[in-house]
Amino acid sequence: MKKTLLTIFCLLAVLTGRADEQKKVTLSNDNTKETVNLSYANIFITLMNPDSDDEFGQVLIEIENLDEQKILALFNKPYKEKEVKKLSPSFQYDKLFGGTKGKRIIDPYNLETGQDVFIEPSNKVQLAAFNAPGGQEMVVKLPIYLSKPKEGIVQRILGKEKLLLLRKQVIELDINVELKPSAEYLGLVDECEKLKKDVNNAVFCTHRRHRPDVEGQKEPFKKRMEELTAKIDAAISAHGWTENDGGYQRFNAIKEDIAKINLDEQEGTCRQHKAGPPAPAHQCGYCSLSLQQIYHKLDDLYKKIYTSSDRAATKASVMGQVNGLYNCCTDANCQKHASAWRSGGDYKNKIIERYNRIQGL
């Protein structure tokens, strides 16, 4: 008999740390809760933020004790045998518990919550809440110790109990979080794609007789770009994201996509005016300037308005010059600038940026 018991204890010692039960758990926007049913307990695993657009899923683990006679214990530290006796409640190993007496060490669960958890009969407690990376499997090991009072029936106040550790069962949860983009994110992406498609299908007629003029034709598209950008900024602010958050980066990528839309590339002549007489060549006092010189003049005017003590008055006084410079280089009939403007380039982008900055002052 002694040899048989010794063999059993040695086998239990070898198996320490291995999972007695292994459960695969997949959480997603469509499946936010899974339950692992054991004979003595239920383990609830819940995805708390299915629509957050974050790169991590917030996972909550709760354990319900179904055994009317046992107390379930999960320890956060590898207590030595002497240390476990000093806990509140105090624990000691039952005589049939495996391992070498006096040298046994508690097997802790592998979540950094900083607390031991003791679950009375018919009670449910929150074990831990943690972040699980989306698309990666996370292994959570839960060594559950079944215990009972050393004498008498289970009391409601565990602190007064001396409990016997009867046996340990190791449950391994292989948790995989599959985060899908939220409806909010997908809606903004759809709006952006619709805007880009509408711009690609548009022709902003530069013919002098077209009404509204080319800038008036672009105005509704500029407004849509601004409104969609503002909607994205509001969403980022509502979520409280910073630049390091995955949600911020995904939403900001839509903003960057909007910023790349170039309305000037869609300038041309509409069907109505293609067959008409050619528009006269553009001529003004700025035609002799290069795009580089026009940019520097706009930059000087921007600085003049920005540093002025009365920006509104200063802006009003120079807007005629600002518009004249901008119209000169953007007029499709300007013999000096039309070709260079269509070709694009660094100074075209600088002129557009500086002009918009002046408009926004």
Side-chain angles (χ1 to χ4, degrees):
M1 176 64 74
K2 289 183 179 179
K3 288 183 179 180
T4 302
L5 288 174
L6 181 60
T7 301
I8 293 173
F9 291 156
C10 289
L11 181 60
L12 288 172
V14 170
L15 292 175
T16 299
R18 294 183 182 178
D20 298 299
E21 290 200 41
Q22 188 175 31
K23 303 289 185 179
K24 287 193 173 293
V25 177
T26 300
L27 301 174
S28 68
N29 307 64
D30 302 320
N31 183 45
T32 60
K33 190 169 186 177
E34 287 280 345
T35 302
V36 175
N37 302 115
L38 307 173
S39 60
Y40 57 88
N42 287 325
I43 302 175
F44 304 102
I45 308 100
T46 306
L47 178 62
M48 303 299 291
N49 62 332
D51 297 316
S52 71
D53 285 302
D54 205 348
E55 58 188 322
F56 290 94
Q58 295 176 3
V59 177
L60 171 68
I61 294 182
E62 299 171 292
I63 300 178
E64 179 184 24
N65 186 358
L66 302 178
D67 195 311
E68 293 297 330
Q69 302 298 322
K70 305 292 191 302
I71 293 172
L72 306 183
L74 291 96
F75 299 93
N76 188 246
K77 297 179 182 178
Y79 296 109
K80 296 179 181 179
E81 194 156 344
K82 290 183 179 179
E83 294 174 327
V84 80
K85 292 180 180 180
K86 298 177 181 179
L87 297 177
S88 178
S90 173
F91 290 89
Q92 66 182 68
Y93 291 92
D94 183 72
K95 59 184 179 180
L96 295 180
F97 200 98
T100 303
K101 186 176 181 180
K103 295 184 179 181
R104 290 168 289 200
I105 298 176
I106 288 292
D107 186 12
Y109 63 94
N110 63 337
L111 294 172
E112 297 179 359
T113 61
Q115 61 181 357
D116 303 322
V117 174
F118 311 120
I119 312 167
E120 297 182 66
S122 302
N123 277 14
K124 182 172 76 171
V125 302
Q126 176 180 318
L127 176 67
F130 57 92
N131 288 331
Q136 300 179 32
E137 189 173 81
M138 181 174 182
V139 178
V140 177
K141 187 184 76 170
L142 303 177
I144 300 176
Y145 287 82
L146 282 77
S147 63
K148 70 175 184 179
K150 190 173 182 181
E151 296 178 357
I153 62 173
V154 176
Q155 301 294 320
R156 303 307 297 174
I157 303 176
L158 289 172
K160 295 182 179 180
E161 287 295 328
K162 289 186 178 181
L163 302 174
L164 288 176
L165 296 174
L166 303 174
R167 64 186 178 92
K168 176 186 72 173
Q169 185 173 28
V170 180
I171 310 300
E172 184 179 288
L173 304 177
D174 298 338
I175 300 175
N176 185 37
V177 176
E178 297 177 352
L179 294 174
K180 300 176 185 177
S182 68
E184 179 184 36
Y185 172 81
L186 294 175
L188 292 171
V189 170
D190 285 344
E191 283 191 59
C192 181
E193 292 301 315
K194 177 72 164 53
L195 174 60
K196 290 194 294 182
K197 182 179 179 180
D198 291 346
V199 170
N200 288 335
N201 291 334
V203 176
F204 302 120
C205 184
T206 57
H207 194 279
R208 63 186 180 85
R209 294 183 178 178
H210 192 104
R211 294 292 180 271
D213 64 11
V214 66
E215 290 305 314
Q217 297 166 54
K218 294 177 184 177
E219 190 59 35
F221 293 90
K222 290 181 180 179
K223 185 176 181 181
R224 285 173 64 184
M225 291 170 66
E226 292 169 358
E227 289 176 347
L228 185 51
T229 299
K231 190 182 294 186
I232 295 169
D233 286 334
I236 291 174
S237 178
H239 286 286
W241 288 322
T242 63
E243 292 183 5
N244 294 325
D245 293 321
Y248 176 95
Q249 293 165 11
R250 280 189 287 278
F251 276 58
N252 194 61
I254 309 175
K255 283 179 57 179
E256 293 175 352
D257 217 12
I258 297 168
K260 292 176 184 176
I261 297 174
N262 190 341
L263 300 179
D264 297 330
E265 291 180 351
Q266 300 304 119
E267 290 183 0
T269 307
C270 69
R271 291 181 180 180
Q272 178 183 352
H273 294 117
K274 274 184 178 179
H282 165 88
Q283 287 184 339
C284 73
Y286 303 115
C287 287
S288 61
L289 301 178
S290 66
L291 291 182
Q292 180 179 0
Q293 290 172 320
I294 288 178
Y295 164 72
H296 285 301
K297 283 189 173 294
L298 286 172
D299 187 52
D300 290 341
L301 292 171
Y302 169 79
K303 292 174 181 177
K304 180 178 180 179
I305 300 170
Y306 188 82
T307 58
S308 171
S309 59
D310 188 346
R311 288 185 183 177
T314 305
K315 179 179 177 180
S317 68
V318 301
M319 279 309 295
Q321 188 178 354
V322 169
N323 289 326
L325 286 163
Y326 188 75
N327 291 337
C328 179
C329 59
T330 59
D331 194 315
N333 297 309
C334 180
Q335 294 180 343
K336 176 66 181 291
H337 301 121
S339 177
W341 192 259
R342 283 194 299 270
S343 299
D346 191 37
Y347 278 104
K348 175 181 177 179
N349 294 331
K350 286 184 176 182
I351 288 170
I352 294 172
E353 183 273 338
R354 192 55 53 186
Y355 180 74
N356 288 338
R357 291 283 291 273
I358 292 173
Q359 293 281 55
L361 287 174

